[in-house]
């Protein structure tokens, strides 16, 4: 049975830059969505594509402290905008069956995505995003918006109905 995609989040800091000594400058952790897209498909473990604040990121291990000898002595994972990548939907059958997101292949440049319809779908080859759309439109098209968790409602006559 193939794993199903669910909207998971991971709290990671954003890379802001580097200090003069070479150490990474990081923000406080932010809740980034782990998307259904991956890049580097020829690798044994393709890279995850994260989405936060209208941009696409990857997780990178960054040196956060540099010792007196000039070598890194502390590391932390941080979100870095994807410079250039082609990301594929690794849950395509679920995407097509659920009809919540457009079945696309993303071309990401500097954290901004353009998208074309994936092969084997009615949208094959169609340009669906060109990189100039608003973050809200991109999130709606690719089903990147947060979903409200539904708590199970108690059943039975001894439970009061809550309005």
């Amino acid at each position: 049975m193939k794993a199903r995609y669910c909207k998971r989040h991971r709290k990671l800091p954003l890379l802001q830059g580097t200090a003069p000594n070479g150490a990474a400058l990081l923000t406080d952790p932010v809740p980034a969505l782990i998307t259904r897209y991956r890049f580097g498909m020829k690798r044994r473990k393709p890279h995850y594509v994260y989405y936060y604040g209208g941009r696409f990121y990857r997780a990178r291990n960054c040196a956060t402290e540099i010792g007196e000898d000039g070598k890194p002595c502390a590391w932390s994972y941080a979100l870095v905008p994807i410079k250039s990548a082609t990301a594929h939907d690794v849950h395509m059958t679920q995407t097509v069956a659920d009809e919540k997101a457009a079945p696309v292949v993303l071309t990401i440049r500097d954290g901004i995505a353009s998208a074309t319809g994936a092969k084997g779908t009615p949208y094959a080859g169609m340009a669906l995003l060109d990189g100039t759309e608003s973050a809200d439109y991109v999130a709606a098209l690719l089903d990147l918006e947060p979903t409200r968790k539904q708590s199970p409602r108690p059943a039975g006559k001894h439970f009061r109905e809550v309005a």
Side-chain angles (χ1 to χ4, degrees):
M1 182 174 171
K2 188 167 174 136
R4 290 187 53 83
Y5 172 74
C6 59
K7 293 182 177 179
R8 295 179 296 135
H9 287 80
R10 183 177 177 192
K11 286 192 173 190
L12 289 171
L14 296 170
L15 178 68
Q16 284 187 318
T18 56
N21 68 351
L25 300 174
L26 306 177
T27 66
D28 290 332
V30 297
L33 174 71
I34 303 170
T35 67
R36 62 182 34 137
Y37 303 98
R38 308 285 183 272
F39 69 95
M41 300 306 286
K42 292 186 179 182
R43 294 170 41 99
R44 187 174 62 83
K45 287 182 74 178
H47 298 287
Y48 285 92
V49 175
Y50 295 86
Y51 182 77
Y52 176 75
R55 297 193 66 174
F56 292 90
Y57 297 89
R58 66 175 291 177
R60 265 242 159 98
N61 205 4
C62 302
T64 55
E65 290 181 34
I66 306 295
E68 291 180 13
D69 59 355
K71 294 182 181 176
C73 57
W75 298 82
S76 177
Y77 276 97
L79 294 174
V80 178
I82 297 172
K83 287 193 186 301
S84 178
T86 301
H88 299 272
D89 187 343
V90 294
H91 299 279
M92 186 61 76
T93 55
Q94 179 186 349
T95 301
V96 171
D98 290 351
E99 297 180 351
K100 291 182 181 177
V104 299
V105 174
L106 299 177
T107 303
I108 305 169
R109 302 262 183 267
D110 298 320
I112 307 296
S114 58
T116 55
K119 288 182 184 176
T121 67
Y123 306 104
M126 280 179 59
L128 299 174
L129 293 174
D130 64 8
T132 61
E133 294 83 6
S134 70
D136 293 336
Y137 179 77
V138 173
L141 181 71
L142 302 178
D143 190 34
L144 302 173
E145 298 166 324
T147 54
R148 229 182 81 201
K149 291 185 179 180
Q150 299 283 334
S151 60
R153 190 173 211 128
K157 63 182 180 181
H158 55 280
F159 289 100
R160 269 189 303 147
E161 185 66 32
V162 180

